[in-house]
Structures are given as C-alpha cells and as structure tokens.
C-alpha cells in the first residue's frame, strides 16, 4: 500500500464510524463523532475520540474539531468529562451503563473518566488548523477537566492521581489489577469477574468519591493515567501561552513539573520500569506492562532515564521488543498471554499489541531522540495494519488480528508514518 492508499483506507474507516445528529437525551445538543467500532463499541469514548481527532486532522480538520467539541458538550458542570457517552436514546442500554451511572432512565453519561489526552489532541488540531477561536472555546474546558481531576482524584495529596476502576486506566484488564484484586497468580477470568463486582460496589456508593476512597477497595495510582495527565498539563501550558495567558501557562507548567517528579520518584521499580501503586499504603503492583514505559512520553523525563527505559526494556527482546512491538505485557512476565480468546476468558490488554499504546511510545521515542526505534515501530505497525486491517489488537508474534473489526483508533498508523517521515 502506498501512503496515499493507507490514508484513503483510514478515511473510509473513520467515515464508516461517524455518527451525527441532535441528541434527544442531551437536551437537543449536536453531536458528530466516530464510534470506536460499529460492531462492539457503538458509543462515544473519551480517549478514543481524542485519537480519532488526531487522524481527522489529515483528512478534514473541521471534523477533527467537531469530534472534540462533541466531547466537551458532555462536560459536567463540575468539570468532569465522562469516559463514555451515549448520544442516541435507547429503550434499554447495555447493563454496564446502569452500573456506571447513577441515572436509571437514561444512563447516558458514565461516572468514570478516561486517561486525560484531550489537551494533547487539542494541541494537534490547533497545529493543523491554526484556529484561535476553536482554542479560545475549548482550552478553558480542558483546563477545568484537569482541575477536577486534581481536586477529586488525589486523596493523599501526593501529586499522583488515583483511578477508582480498571476501565479508567484505558487498559481494562491489565494484569497489574490481578494483584489489586488480591489474586496471587495471574488470573484473567478472576479479574474480569472482580471488575463486575467493583461496578456494583461503586454504584452502591453512588460514585461518591470520598466514600469510595475511604473504603480503599480499588484505589490505584496508575502509571499510564498519571503520565498522560502530566503530558496533558504540558500541552495545556503551551496552549495557554498561545492564548497569551502567561499566568495560567506558568501554573500548568509548574503543576506538570511537580507531578512528573512524583511519577519518577514514587513509581520507579528497582529494575527501572514503572509500576502502579495501589491502596492507601501505596503497594507496588510488580507486573511488567506497557504502562510502565510511559514516562517516555514526558518532556520532564531526564535523557538518561529515557535511555535506560529504551535500552533495558522497550528494545529488550525478552521483554517488549517482539516481532510486532509494543506488546501490552512484557514477554517474560508470568501474566503475558500473546493470544486472545474472549474478554471473559483471556481478558484485554494482557499481551497483544494495540496501535494506540505503540503510538504514544513512538512519539515519546521521537521526543527523546530515538529515531531508529520509532521508525521500526512505525514500519512494523504498518505491516500489521496492511495485512489485517484496522482491528482492535494483534498477536505480537504472528500479527493475527483480534477483537473489534473496523476499529477507528488503529488508523493512528497514519500519524505514526507521518511522524517518522520527517525524523
Ligand atoms: C476497550 C478499551 C478502551 C477503549 C474502549 C473503546 O474498553 O480497553 O481503552 O477506550 O474499548 O474502544
């Protein structure tokens, strides 16, 4: 496939997943966004939309803006933006919607959040569009979201945010959660079931955060979530500067610095990889997942530390450097499972390669000057997509595709190729 053919395929996929209209369950508000997959995920997801918007910038920057504006139209008065939004009314919603919401009739807004990548997406859309009016409209909203997170999700005030549910990590059944749920050994079915119980528990507590944290049942300082929050603050600082608000810009930058320091100091394991901390006692969940490489995406990570992560872990063939990198779990971790049976049997994010995590790391590599490694990831991801299409995830050895077909964020391969071209 030529680059142009790949871009056409991506466009076709995004257009096939596009949903537009006025929402009867959101007070007649307009919506225009892509569903992650028409087959298995026919709603709007926060961090998926941010990625879709980045790919839209190559095709139709107006639609890129629409995707993000739709997302912020669902922002709550307190600043929180739901992790998943149903725009179209349904007689009966999938059962999880009732568990993730406190509304019985129209559980359209989830009470959970997603990894905060909105500022990053806004920055990319602005770079391509130069549209200041868009920036003026959306940046204060993004700012409020980050503030909500800091005010409500840092119960111990240590600069690291806590998630209250595995879905908030974006990596639903990541095997680090097995430990959080009390399993001694890797246990995909057990974790799947524990997530259902946790849904019930949080619903029972009406998503009251102080109560949830008091019980300390699932309180995880997640590496990927925190790194993306810091990366978001870094973007937000630049966006405020662009808007001429030096005070807010400096404030975001200093929050980013403090929080990056907390990640680097508290989450680093003895082997140099980064790990989630769980419970109020901040125990380390020692499972080697792709999230442990995420300090690579941060500007604040010292060059030497980035080099160690790349040399000792990312490009280590016993861990993450497999034929189709980057697997979601290191190959030498006991929980690593490169194949997939079903969410219930084998879970998600327990070994296969997903385009999105590789995409973040590719940009991290470029940020720290590792061009060859970034090029290699782009080339091998391209091979995956060309052979199997835009699927949800892939076997890191054989490339076999799994999960949802027509999966929109896998079109990020277009941005990976563009990013390494100039490098
Ligand atoms: C799965 C993924 C999550 C994604 C969602 C929609 O739940 O784990 O990261 O946002 O699907 O694509």
């Amino acid at each position: 496939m030529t680059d142009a053919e790949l871009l056409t395929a991506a466009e076709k996929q995004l257009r096939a997943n596009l949903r537009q209209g006025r929402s009867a369950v959101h007070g007649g508000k307009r919506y225009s966004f892509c569903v992650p997959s028409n087959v298995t995920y026919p709603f709007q997801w926060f961090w998926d939309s941010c990625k879709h918007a980045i790919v839209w910038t190559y095709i139709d920057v107006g639609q890129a803006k629409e995707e993000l504006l739709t997302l912020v139209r669902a922002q709550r008065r307190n600043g929180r933006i739901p992790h998943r939004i149903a725009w179209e009314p349904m007689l009966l919603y999938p059962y999880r919607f009732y568990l993730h919401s406190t509304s019985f009739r129209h559980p359209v807004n989830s009470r959970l959040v997603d990894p905060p990548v909105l500022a990053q997406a806004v920055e990319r859309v602005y770079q391509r569009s130069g549209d200041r009016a868009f920036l003026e409209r959306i940046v204060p909203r993004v700012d409020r979201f980050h503030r909500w997170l800091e005010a409500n999700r840092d119960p111990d005030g240590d600069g690291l945010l806590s998630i209250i549910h595995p879905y908030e990590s974006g990596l639903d059944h990541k095997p680090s959660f097995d430990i959080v749920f009390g399993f001694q050994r890797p246990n995909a079915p057990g974790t799947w079931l524990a997530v259902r119980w946790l849904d019930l528990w949080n619903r029972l507590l009406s998503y009251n955060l102080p109560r949830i944290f008091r019980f300390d049942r699932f309180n995880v300082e997640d590496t990927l979530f925190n790194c993306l929050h810091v990366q978001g603050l870094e973007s937000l600082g630049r966006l405020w500067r662009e808007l001429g608000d030096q005070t807010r810009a400096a404030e975001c930058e200093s929050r980013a610095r403090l929080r990056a320091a907390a990640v680097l100091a508290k989450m680093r394991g003895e082997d140099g990889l980064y790990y989630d901390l769980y419970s109020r006692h901040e125990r380390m969940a020692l499972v080697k997942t792709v999230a442990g490489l995420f300090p690579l995406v941060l500007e604040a990570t010292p060059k030497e530390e980035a080099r160690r992560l790349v040399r000792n872990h990312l490009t280590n063939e016993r861990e993450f450097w497999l034929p189709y990198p980057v697997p979601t779990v290191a190959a030498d971790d006991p929980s690593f499972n490169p194949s997939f049976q079903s969410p219930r049997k084998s879970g998600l994010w327990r070994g296969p390669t997903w385009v999105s995590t590789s995409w973040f790391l590719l940009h991290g590599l470029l940020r720290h000057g590792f061009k060859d490694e970034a090029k290699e990831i782009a080339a091998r991801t391209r091979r995956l997509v060309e052979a199997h299409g835009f699927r949800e995830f892939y076997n890191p050895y054989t490339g076999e595709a799994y999960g949802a077909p027509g999966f929109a964020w896998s079109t990020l391969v277009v941005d990976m190729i563009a990013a390494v071209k100039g490098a």
Side-chain angles (χ1 to χ4, degrees), residues 36-37 41 45-48 51 83 114 167 169-173 348-349 354 392 407 409:
S37 159
Y41 302 109
W45 263 266
F46 178 101
W47 83 323
D48 295 63
K51 299 165 198 173
H83 106 285
D114 243 358
Y167 289 3
S169 74
L171 317 192
D172 302 7
H173 310 124
L348 299 175
W349 302 95
W354 293 60
E392 195 175 359
F407 195 67
W409 86 31

Side-chain angles (χ1 to χ4, degrees), residues 64 66 68 179 207 235 313 326 350:
E66 277 308 314
L68 300 182
I179 297 182
Y207 287 88
S235 285
H313 300 288
V326 183
R350 299 178 71 98

Side-chain angles (χ1 to χ4, degrees), residues 55-87:
V55 184
W56 272 118
T57 63
Y58 290 89
I59 300 160
D60 175 353
V61 79
Q63 185 52 40
K65 289 185 245 171
E66 277 308 314
E67 180 111 20
L68 300 182
L69 289 170
T70 300
L71 199 54
V72 298
R73 267 178 219 129
Q75 185 165 36
R76 317 312 296 155
R77 258 197 296 276
N78 60 12
R80 188 178 59 79
I81 306 177
H83 106 285
R84 185 195 51 224
I85 305 135
W87 288 97

